[in-house]
mmCIF file of all heavy atoms in Angstrom:
data_model
loop_
_atom_site.group_PDB
_atom_site.id
_atom_site.type_symbol
_atom_site.label_atom_id
_atom_site.label_comp_id
_atom_site.label_asym_id
_atom_site.label_seq_id
_atom_site.Cartn_x
_atom_site.Cartn_y
_atom_site.Cartn_z
ATOM 1 N N MET P 1 -36.067 -47.699 17.494
ATOM 2 C CA MET P 1 -37.041 -46.790 18.048
ATOM 3 C C MET P 1 -37.459 -47.285 19.433
ATOM 4 O O MET P 1 -37.396 -48.474 19.708
ATOM 5 C CB MET P 1 -38.245 -46.698 17.122
ATOM 6 C CG MET P 1 -37.895 -46.295 15.678
ATOM 7 S SD MET P 1 -37.133 -44.703 15.553
ATOM 8 C CE MET P 1 -38.498 -43.690 15.174
ATOM 9 N N VAL P 2 -37.905 -46.388 20.267
ATOM 10 C CA VAL P 2 -38.189 -46.711 21.661
ATOM 11 C C VAL P 2 -39.260 -47.790 21.795
ATOM 12 O O VAL P 2 -39.102 -48.724 22.575
ATOM 13 C CB VAL P 2 -38.588 -45.448 22.446
ATOM 14 C CG1 VAL P 2 -39.049 -45.791 23.844
ATOM 15 C CG2 VAL P 2 -37.419 -44.490 22.516
ATOM 16 N N LYS P 3 -40.325 -47.698 21.025
ATOM 17 C CA LYS P 3 -41.381 -48.703 21.151
ATOM 18 C C LYS P 3 -40.886 -50.078 20.713
ATOM 19 O O LYS P 3 -41.296 -51.088 21.272
ATOM 20 C CB LYS P 3 -42.615 -48.279 20.371
ATOM 21 C CG LYS P 3 -43.293 -47.113 21.047
ATOM 22 C CD LYS P 3 -44.660 -46.862 20.529
ATOM 23 C CE LYS P 3 -45.228 -45.681 21.285
ATOM 24 N NZ LYS P 3 -46.638 -45.709 21.436
ATOM 25 N N GLN P 4 -39.978 -50.131 19.760
ATOM 26 C CA GLN P 4 -39.405 -51.414 19.342
ATOM 27 C C GLN P 4 -38.535 -51.988 20.460
ATOM 28 O O GLN P 4 -38.564 -53.192 20.704
ATOM 29 C CB GLN P 4 -38.581 -51.242 18.078
ATOM 30 C CG GLN P 4 -39.420 -50.945 16.859
ATOM 31 C CD GLN P 4 -38.565 -50.593 15.658
ATOM 32 O OE1 GLN P 4 -37.506 -49.979 15.795
ATOM 33 N NE2 GLN P 4 -39.030 -50.968 14.482
ATOM 34 N N VAL P 5 -37.776 -51.128 21.126
ATOM 35 C CA VAL P 5 -36.945 -51.584 22.249
ATOM 36 C C VAL P 5 -37.831 -52.132 23.356
ATOM 37 O O VAL P 5 -37.564 -53.209 23.898
ATOM 38 C CB VAL P 5 -36.050 -50.439 22.779
ATOM 39 C CG1 VAL P 5 -35.354 -50.841 24.068
ATOM 40 C CG2 VAL P 5 -35.040 -50.024 21.731
ATOM 41 N N CYS P 6 -38.897 -51.413 23.692
ATOM 42 C CA CYS P 6 -39.818 -51.877 24.731
ATOM 43 C C CYS P 6 -40.426 -53.233 24.358
ATOM 44 O O CYS P 6 -40.519 -54.124 25.200
ATOM 45 C CB CYS P 6 -40.920 -50.854 24.965
ATOM 46 S SG CYS P 6 -40.368 -49.357 25.804
ATOM 47 N N ALA P 7 -40.817 -53.380 23.110
ATOM 48 C CA ALA P 7 -41.410 -54.640 22.660
ATOM 49 C C ALA P 7 -40.397 -55.775 22.754
ATOM 50 O O ALA P 7 -40.723 -56.874 23.209
ATOM 51 C CB ALA P 7 -41.928 -54.500 21.234
ATOM 52 N N GLU P 8 -39.163 -55.531 22.335
ATOM 53 C CA GLU P 8 -38.123 -56.563 22.387
ATOM 54 C C GLU P 8 -37.799 -56.969 23.825
ATOM 55 O O GLU P 8 -37.460 -58.113 24.089
ATOM 56 C CB GLU P 8 -36.849 -56.084 21.701
ATOM 57 C CG GLU P 8 -36.952 -56.043 20.205
ATOM 58 C CD GLU P 8 -37.081 -57.431 19.594
ATOM 59 O OE1 GLU P 8 -36.420 -58.385 20.054
ATOM 60 O OE2 GLU P 8 -37.871 -57.561 18.647
ATOM 61 N N LEU P 9 -37.896 -56.017 24.754
ATOM 62 C CA LEU P 9 -37.614 -56.303 26.160
ATOM 63 C C LEU P 9 -38.824 -56.858 26.895
ATOM 64 O O LEU P 9 -38.740 -57.176 28.072
ATOM 65 C CB LEU P 9 -37.118 -55.036 26.870
ATOM 66 C CG LEU P 9 -35.779 -54.497 26.387
ATOM 67 C CD1 LEU P 9 -35.466 -53.178 27.070
ATOM 68 C CD2 LEU P 9 -34.668 -55.511 26.645
ATOM 69 N N GLY P 10 -39.954 -56.966 26.192
ATOM 70 C CA GLY P 10 -41.169 -57.502 26.806
ATOM 71 C C GLY P 10 -41.833 -56.509 27.745
ATOM 72 O O GLY P 10 -42.589 -56.908 28.629
ATOM 73 N N MET P 11 -41.566 -55.228 27.560
ATOM 74 C CA MET P 11 -42.136 -54.195 28.413
ATOM 75 C C MET P 11 -43.453 -53.708 27.828
ATOM 76 O O MET P 11 -43.735 -53.894 26.655
ATOM 77 C CB MET P 11 -41.154 -53.022 28.541
ATOM 78 C CG MET P 11 -39.854 -53.414 29.177
ATOM 79 S SD MET P 11 -38.603 -52.138 29.059
ATOM 80 C CE MET P 11 -39.343 -50.823 29.962
ATOM 81 N N SER P 12 -44.230 -53.041 28.651
ATOM 82 C CA SER P 12 -45.494 -52.477 28.221
ATOM 83 C C SER P 12 -45.277 -51.409 27.157
ATOM 84 O O SER P 12 -44.302 -50.665 27.211
ATOM 85 C CB SER P 12 -46.208 -51.866 29.429
ATOM 86 O OG SER P 12 -47.334 -51.136 29.029
ATOM 87 N N LEU P 13 -46.179 -51.331 26.203
ATOM 88 C CA LEU P 13 -46.093 -50.328 25.152
ATOM 89 C C LEU P 13 -46.941 -49.095 25.462
ATOM 90 O O LEU P 13 -47.132 -48.245 24.606
ATOM 91 C CB LEU P 13 -46.522 -50.925 23.813
ATOM 92 C CG LEU P 13 -45.642 -52.053 23.295
ATOM 93 C CD1 LEU P 13 -46.196 -52.600 21.995
ATOM 94 C CD2 LEU P 13 -44.216 -51.596 23.114
ATOM 95 N N GLU P 14 -47.425 -48.990 26.708
ATOM 96 C CA GLU P 14 -48.191 -47.813 27.104
ATOM 97 C C GLU P 14 -47.319 -46.581 26.952
ATOM 98 O O GLU P 14 -46.107 -46.624 27.165
ATOM 99 C CB GLU P 14 -48.642 -47.936 28.555
ATOM 100 C CG GLU P 14 -49.606 -49.059 28.808
ATOM 101 C CD GLU P 14 -49.907 -49.208 30.285
ATOM 102 O OE1 GLU P 14 -49.747 -48.239 31.043
ATOM 103 O OE2 GLU P 14 -50.296 -50.309 30.667
ATOM 104 N N SER P 15 -47.926 -45.482 26.585
ATOM 105 C CA SER P 15 -47.143 -44.271 26.308
ATOM 106 C C SER P 15 -46.364 -43.799 27.530
ATOM 107 O O SER P 15 -45.246 -43.317 27.394
ATOM 108 C CB SER P 15 -48.042 -43.158 25.773
ATOM 109 O OG SER P 15 -49.008 -42.798 26.727
ATOM 110 N N ALA P 16 -46.904 -43.938 28.731
ATOM 111 C CA ALA P 16 -46.185 -43.499 29.929
ATOM 112 C C ALA P 16 -44.907 -44.308 30.113
ATOM 113 O O ALA P 16 -43.855 -43.766 30.460
ATOM 114 C CB ALA P 16 -47.078 -43.638 31.154
ATOM 115 N N ARG P 17 -44.974 -45.597 29.871
ATOM 116 C CA ARG P 17 -43.797 -46.455 30.033
ATOM 117 C C ARG P 17 -42.767 -46.193 28.936
ATOM 118 O O ARG P 17 -41.566 -46.142 29.199
ATOM 119 C CB ARG P 17 -44.211 -47.924 30.027
ATOM 120 C CG ARG P 17 -43.102 -48.867 30.310
ATOM 121 C CD ARG P 17 -42.595 -48.675 31.725
ATOM 122 N NE ARG P 17 -41.421 -49.506 31.902
ATOM 123 C CZ ARG P 17 -40.387 -49.175 32.636
ATOM 124 N NH1 ARG P 17 -40.382 -48.060 33.294
ATOM 125 N NH2 ARG P 17 -39.368 -49.978 32.746
ATOM 126 N N SER P 18 -43.229 -46.030 27.710
ATOM 127 C CA SER P 18 -42.281 -45.789 26.627
ATOM 128 C C SER P 18 -41.626 -44.422 26.759
ATOM 129 O O SER P 18 -40.456 -44.259 26.434
ATOM 130 C CB SER P 18 -42.953 -45.942 25.263
ATOM 131 O OG SER P 18 -43.962 -45.001 25.074
ATOM 132 N N GLU P 19 -42.339 -43.428 27.272
ATOM 133 C CA GLU P 19 -41.734 -42.112 27.500
ATOM 134 C C GLU P 19 -40.667 -42.192 28.583
ATOM 135 O O GLU P 19 -39.628 -41.534 28.489
ATOM 136 C CB GLU P 19 -42.799 -41.082 27.887
ATOM 137 C CG GLU P 19 -43.681 -40.667 26.745
ATOM 138 C CD GLU P 19 -42.913 -40.022 25.603
ATOM 139 O OE1 GLU P 19 -41.993 -39.235 25.863
ATOM 140 O OE2 GLU P 19 -43.237 -40.315 24.452
ATOM 141 N N ALA P 20 -40.887 -43.010 29.601
ATOM 142 C CA ALA P 20 -39.889 -43.183 30.652
ATOM 143 C C ALA P 20 -38.637 -43.864 30.105
ATOM 144 O O ALA P 20 -37.527 -43.617 30.572
ATOM 145 C CB ALA P 20 -40.477 -43.995 31.802
ATOM 146 N N MET P 21 -38.807 -44.694 29.103
ATOM 147 C CA MET P 21 -37.697 -45.440 28.506
ATOM 148 C C MET P 21 -36.933 -44.616 27.462
ATOM 149 O O MET P 21 -35.822 -44.963 27.087
ATOM 150 C CB MET P 21 -38.262 -46.709 27.853
ATOM 151 C CG MET P 21 -37.272 -47.612 27.249
ATOM 152 S SD MET P 21 -36.249 -48.331 28.524
ATOM 153 C CE MET P 21 -35.356 -49.520 27.582
ATOM 154 N N ARG P 22 -37.483 -43.496 27.031
ATOM 155 C CA ARG P 22 -36.923 -42.725 25.931
ATOM 156 C C ARG P 22 -35.483 -42.264 26.183
ATOM 157 O O ARG P 22 -34.668 -42.248 25.268
ATOM 158 C CB ARG P 22 -37.802 -41.512 25.641
ATOM 159 C CG ARG P 22 -37.440 -40.808 24.377
ATOM 160 C CD ARG P 22 -38.515 -39.866 23.923
ATOM 161 N NE ARG P 22 -39.801 -40.495 23.701
ATOM 162 C CZ ARG P 22 -40.131 -41.207 22.631
ATOM 163 N NH1 ARG P 22 -39.266 -41.392 21.679
ATOM 164 N NH2 ARG P 22 -41.323 -41.732 22.513
ATOM 165 N N SER P 23 -35.113 -41.919 27.388
ATOM 166 C CA SER P 23 -33.764 -41.422 27.662
ATOM 167 C C SER P 23 -32.739 -42.539 27.842
ATOM 168 O O SER P 23 -31.541 -42.305 27.728
ATOM 169 C CB SER P 23 -33.771 -40.533 28.901
ATOM 170 O OG SER P 23 -34.147 -41.280 30.033
ATOM 171 N N GLU P 24 -33.201 -43.752 28.099
ATOM 172 C CA GLU P 24 -32.268 -44.857 28.369
ATOM 173 C C GLU P 24 -31.333 -45.173 27.202
ATOM 174 O O GLU P 24 -30.130 -45.342 27.424
ATOM 175 C CB GLU P 24 -33.043 -46.103 28.793
ATOM 176 C CG GLU P 24 -32.169 -47.190 29.350
ATOM 177 C CD GLU P 24 -31.429 -46.795 30.619
ATOM 178 O OE1 GLU P 24 -31.922 -45.957 31.383
ATOM 179 O OE2 GLU P 24 -30.336 -47.333 30.835
ATOM 180 N N PRO P 25 -31.795 -45.260 25.959
ATOM 181 C CA PRO P 25 -30.852 -45.526 24.862
ATOM 182 C C PRO P 25 -29.758 -44.463 24.743
ATOM 183 O O PRO P 25 -28.614 -44.785 24.441
ATOM 184 C CB PRO P 25 -31.738 -45.548 23.614
ATOM 185 C CG PRO P 25 -33.078 -45.912 24.117
ATOM 186 C CD PRO P 25 -33.175 -45.295 25.468
ATOM 187 N N ASN P 26 -30.101 -43.201 25.004
ATOM 188 C CA ASN P 26 -29.082 -42.151 24.964
ATOM 189 C C ASN P 26 -28.011 -42.375 26.034
ATOM 190 O O ASN P 26 -26.823 -42.198 25.782
ATOM 191 C CB ASN P 26 -29.715 -40.766 25.138
ATOM 192 C CG ASN P 26 -30.423 -40.321 23.899
ATOM 193 O OD1 ASN P 26 -29.917 -40.466 22.809
ATOM 194 N ND2 ASN P 26 -31.616 -39.781 24.066
ATOM 195 N N ARG P 27 -28.441 -42.778 27.217
ATOM 196 C CA ARG P 27 -27.480 -43.074 28.287
ATOM 197 C C ARG P 27 -26.581 -44.249 27.901
ATOM 198 O O ARG P 27 -25.374 -44.218 28.133
ATOM 199 C CB ARG P 27 -28.213 -43.399 29.586
ATOM 200 C CG ARG P 27 -28.771 -42.195 30.255
ATOM 201 C CD ARG P 27 -29.283 -42.555 31.638
ATOM 202 N NE ARG P 27 -30.483 -41.763 31.847
ATOM 203 C CZ ARG P 27 -31.590 -42.184 32.389
ATOM 204 N NH1 ARG P 27 -31.684 -43.412 32.832
ATOM 205 N NH2 ARG P 27 -32.624 -41.395 32.513
ATOM 206 N N LEU P 28 -27.182 -45.280 27.322
ATOM 207 C CA LEU P 28 -26.391 -46.442 26.915
ATOM 208 C C LEU P 28 -25.418 -46.080 25.789
ATOM 209 O O LEU P 28 -24.312 -46.614 25.735
ATOM 210 C CB LEU P 28 -27.310 -47.585 26.494
ATOM 211 C CG LEU P 28 -28.116 -48.213 27.625
ATOM 212 C CD1 LEU P 28 -29.140 -49.189 27.073
ATOM 213 C CD2 LEU P 28 -27.215 -48.883 28.634
ATOM 214 N N ALA P 29 -25.805 -45.175 24.917
ATOM 215 C CA ALA P 29 -24.911 -44.723 23.848
ATOM 216 C C ALA P 29 -23.739 -43.935 24.425
ATOM 217 O O ALA P 29 -22.603 -44.084 23.975
ATOM 218 C CB ALA P 29 -25.678 -43.879 22.833
ATOM 219 N N GLU P 30 -23.994 -43.118 25.427
ATOM 220 C CA GLU P 30 -22.924 -42.365 26.076
ATOM 221 C C GLU P 30 -21.920 -43.297 26.745
ATOM 222 O O GLU P 30 -20.735 -42.999 26.803
ATOM 223 C CB GLU P 30 -23.506 -41.406 27.110
ATOM 224 C CG GLU P 30 -24.242 -40.235 26.514
ATOM 225 C CD GLU P 30 -24.961 -39.402 27.557
ATOM 226 O OE1 GLU P 30 -24.852 -39.713 28.763
ATOM 227 O OE2 GLU P 30 -25.640 -38.441 27.151
ATOM 228 N N ARG P 31 -22.409 -44.427 27.242
ATOM 229 C CA ARG P 31 -21.539 -45.411 27.924
ATOM 230 C C ARG P 31 -20.884 -46.389 26.958
ATOM 231 O O ARG P 31 -20.124 -47.249 27.360
ATOM 232 C CB ARG P 31 -22.361 -46.186 28.942
ATOM 233 C CG ARG P 31 -22.865 -45.331 30.060
ATOM 234 C CD ARG P 31 -23.700 -46.113 31.023
ATOM 235 N NE ARG P 31 -24.306 -45.232 31.996
ATOM 236 C CZ ARG P 31 -25.453 -45.450 32.584
ATOM 237 N NH1 ARG P 31 -26.142 -46.542 32.311
ATOM 238 N NH2 ARG P 31 -25.926 -44.591 33.448
ATOM 239 N N GLY P 32 -21.219 -46.284 25.666
ATOM 240 C CA GLY P 32 -20.609 -47.152 24.671
ATOM 241 C C GLY P 32 -21.290 -48.493 24.484
ATOM 242 O O GLY P 32 -20.785 -49.361 23.783
ATOM 243 N N ARG P 33 -22.450 -48.682 25.093
ATOM 244 C CA ARG P 33 -23.167 -49.954 24.971
ATOM 245 C C ARG P 33 -24.020 -50.013 23.712
ATOM 246 O O ARG P 33 -24.317 -51.093 23.201
ATOM 247 C CB ARG P 33 -24.067 -50.186 26.191
ATOM 248 C CG ARG P 33 -23.366 -50.152 27.530
ATOM 249 C CD ARG P 33 -22.558 -51.392 27.839
ATOM 250 N NE ARG P 33 -23.267 -52.622 27.699
ATOM 251 C CZ ARG P 33 -23.787 -53.331 28.669
ATOM 252 N NH1 ARG P 33 -23.685 -52.926 29.901
ATOM 253 N NH2 ARG P 33 -24.400 -54.460 28.421
ATOM 254 N N LEU P 34 -24.452 -48.848 23.217
ATOM 255 C CA LEU P 34 -25.200 -48.742 21.971
ATOM 256 C C LEU P 34 -24.499 -47.738 21.072
ATOM 257 O O LEU P 34 -23.731 -46.912 21.542
ATOM 258 C CB LEU P 34 -26.637 -48.244 22.215
ATOM 259 C CG LEU P 34 -27.601 -49.170 22.930
ATOM 260 C CD1 LEU P 34 -28.937 -48.474 23.126
ATOM 261 C CD2 LEU P 34 -27.784 -50.472 22.189
ATOM 262 N N ARG P 35 -24.807 -47.804 19.793
ATOM 263 C CA ARG P 35 -24.276 -46.826 18.844
ATOM 264 C C ARG P 35 -25.459 -46.066 18.259
ATOM 265 O O ARG P 35 -26.425 -46.665 17.817
ATOM 266 C CB ARG P 35 -23.506 -47.533 17.738
ATOM 267 C CG ARG P 35 -22.700 -46.570 16.881
ATOM 268 C CD ARG P 35 -21.847 -47.306 15.913
ATOM 269 N NE ARG P 35 -22.752 -47.753 14.830
ATOM 270 C CZ ARG P 35 -22.534 -48.797 14.059
ATOM 271 N NH1 ARG P 35 -21.466 -49.531 14.217
ATOM 272 N NH2 ARG P 35 -23.387 -49.123 13.116
ATOM 273 N N LYS P 36 -25.381 -44.749 18.288
ATOM 274 C CA LYS P 36 -26.461 -43.912 17.778
ATOM 275 C C LYS P 36 -26.317 -43.779 16.270
ATOM 276 O O LYS P 36 -25.267 -43.404 15.768
ATOM 277 C CB LYS P 36 -26.421 -42.544 18.446
ATOM 278 C CG LYS P 36 -27.655 -41.734 18.218
ATOM 279 C CD LYS P 36 -27.690 -40.530 19.119
ATOM 280 C CE LYS P 36 -29.026 -39.851 18.988
ATOM 281 N NZ LYS P 36 -29.168 -38.760 19.934
ATOM 282 N N LEU P 37 -27.387 -44.106 15.539
ATOM 283 C CA LEU P 37 -27.377 -44.051 14.078
ATOM 284 C C LEU P 37 -27.950 -42.749 13.543
ATOM 285 O O LEU P 37 -27.607 -42.334 12.457
ATOM 286 C CB LEU P 37 -28.182 -45.214 13.501
ATOM 287 C CG LEU P 37 -27.680 -46.602 13.834
ATOM 288 C CD1 LEU P 37 -28.627 -47.643 13.282
ATOM 289 C CD2 LEU P 37 -26.280 -46.799 13.303
ATOM 290 N N GLY P 38 -28.809 -42.154 14.270
ATOM 291 C CA GLY P 38 -29.462 -40.930 13.838
ATOM 292 C C GLY P 38 -30.441 -40.533 14.920
ATOM 293 O O GLY P 38 -30.414 -41.062 16.022
ATOM 294 N N VAL P 39 -31.306 -39.626 14.606
ATOM 295 C CA VAL P 39 -32.268 -39.149 15.584
ATOM 296 C C VAL P 39 -33.198 -40.295 15.991
ATOM 297 O O VAL P 39 -33.974 -40.801 15.189
ATOM 298 C CB VAL P 39 -33.086 -37.972 15.025
ATOM 299 C CG1 VAL P 39 -34.128 -37.514 16.024
ATOM 300 C CG2 VAL P 39 -32.167 -36.840 14.650
ATOM 301 N N GLY P 40 -33.070 -40.736 17.226
ATOM 302 C CA GLY P 40 -33.942 -41.772 17.761
ATOM 303 C C GLY P 40 -33.672 -43.181 17.301
ATOM 304 O O GLY P 40 -34.437 -44.082 17.582
ATOM 305 N N LYS P 41 -32.548 -43.416 16.609
ATOM 306 C CA LYS P 41 -32.245 -44.765 16.119
ATOM 307 C C LYS P 41 -30.896 -45.209 16.674
ATOM 308 O O LYS P 41 -29.925 -44.462 16.669
ATOM 309 C CB LYS P 41 -32.223 -44.795 14.604
ATOM 310 C CG LYS P 41 -33.587 -44.490 14.025
ATOM 311 C CD LYS P 41 -33.610 -44.642 12.541
ATOM 312 C CE LYS P 41 -35.015 -44.327 12.050
ATOM 313 N NZ LYS P 41 -35.136 -44.514 10.639
ATOM 314 N N PHE P 42 -30.859 -46.451 17.150
ATOM 315 C CA PHE P 42 -29.684 -47.008 17.790
ATOM 316 C C PHE P 42 -29.449 -48.428 17.305
ATOM 317 O O PHE P 42 -30.354 -49.079 16.809
ATOM 318 C CB PHE P 42 -29.871 -47.032 19.318
ATOM 319 C CG PHE P 42 -30.070 -45.678 19.916
ATOM 320 C CD1 PHE P 42 -31.322 -45.107 19.977
ATOM 321 C CD2 PHE P 42 -29.003 -44.959 20.415
ATOM 322 C CE1 PHE P 42 -31.520 -43.857 20.524
ATOM 323 C CE2 PHE P 42 -29.182 -43.707 20.964
ATOM 324 C CZ PHE P 42 -30.439 -43.154 21.020
ATOM 325 N N THR P 43 -28.236 -48.902 17.486
ATOM 326 C CA THR P 43 -27.908 -50.291 17.209
ATOM 327 C C THR P 43 -26.937 -50.755 18.277
ATOM 328 O O THR P 43 -26.351 -49.959 18.995
ATOM 329 C CB THR P 43 -27.313 -50.459 15.799
ATOM 330 O OG1 THR P 43 -27.194 -51.861 15.518
ATOM 331 C CG2 THR P 43 -25.950 -49.804 15.671
ATOM 332 N N THR P 44 -26.774 -52.060 18.381
ATOM 333 C CA THR P 44 -25.822 -52.592 19.348
ATOM 334 C C THR P 44 -24.403 -52.414 18.839
ATOM 335 O O THR P 44 -24.183 -52.315 17.649
ATOM 336 C CB THR P 44 -26.085 -54.089 19.629
ATOM 337 O OG1 THR P 44 -26.009 -54.785 18.389
ATOM 338 C CG2 THR P 44 -27.444 -54.295 20.250
ATOM 339 N N THR P 45 -23.480 -52.381 19.765
ATOM 340 C CA THR P 45 -22.074 -52.288 19.379
ATOM 341 C C THR P 45 -21.488 -53.697 19.341
ATOM 342 O O THR P 45 -21.925 -54.569 20.075
ATOM 343 C CB THR P 45 -21.276 -51.425 20.363
ATOM 344 O OG1 THR P 45 -21.432 -51.958 21.682
ATOM 345 C CG2 THR P 45 -21.744 -49.989 20.353
ATOM 346 N N PRO P 46 -20.524 -53.925 18.467
ATOM 347 C CA PRO P 46 -19.938 -55.275 18.386
ATOM 348 C C PRO P 46 -19.117 -55.642 19.599
ATOM 349 O O PRO P 46 -18.699 -54.872 20.348
ATOM 350 C CB PRO P 46 -19.050 -55.207 17.147
ATOM 351 C CG PRO P 46 -18.974 -53.792 16.738
ATOM 352 C CD PRO P 46 -19.988 -53.024 17.494
#
C-alpha cells in the first residue's frame, strides 16, 4: 500500500505526499521493477 511504501522509504505520511506517490508504483510495475498483486498492492520482482 502507498502509505507503507512511504514509511519504508522514510517519506512523510502526510496525505498530500502520499497522494503524489500513488502513481509511482504503477509506473514501476509497467517498467517491470514491481509486480502488481491486486488493486493497490505490489511486491518486488526477483
Side-chain angles (χ1 to χ4, degrees):
M1 304 299 264
V2 173
K3 289 194 180 210
Q4 290 172 326
V5 171
C6 288
E8 287 293 321
L9 295 175
M11 298 169 62
S12 171
L13 296 178
E14 295 174 23
S15 62
R17 185 65 186 145
S18 63
E19 287 299 320
M21 182 67 172
R22 190 165 302 282
S23 63
E24 192 62 29
N26 285 316
R27 285 189 217 138
L28 291 172
E30 289 172 2
R31 295 178 187 150
R33 304 284 308 259
L34 291 178
R35 191 174 77 206
K36 193 168 188 174
L37 299 176
V39 178
K41 295 185 180 183
F42 299 86
T43 188
T44 58
T45 56

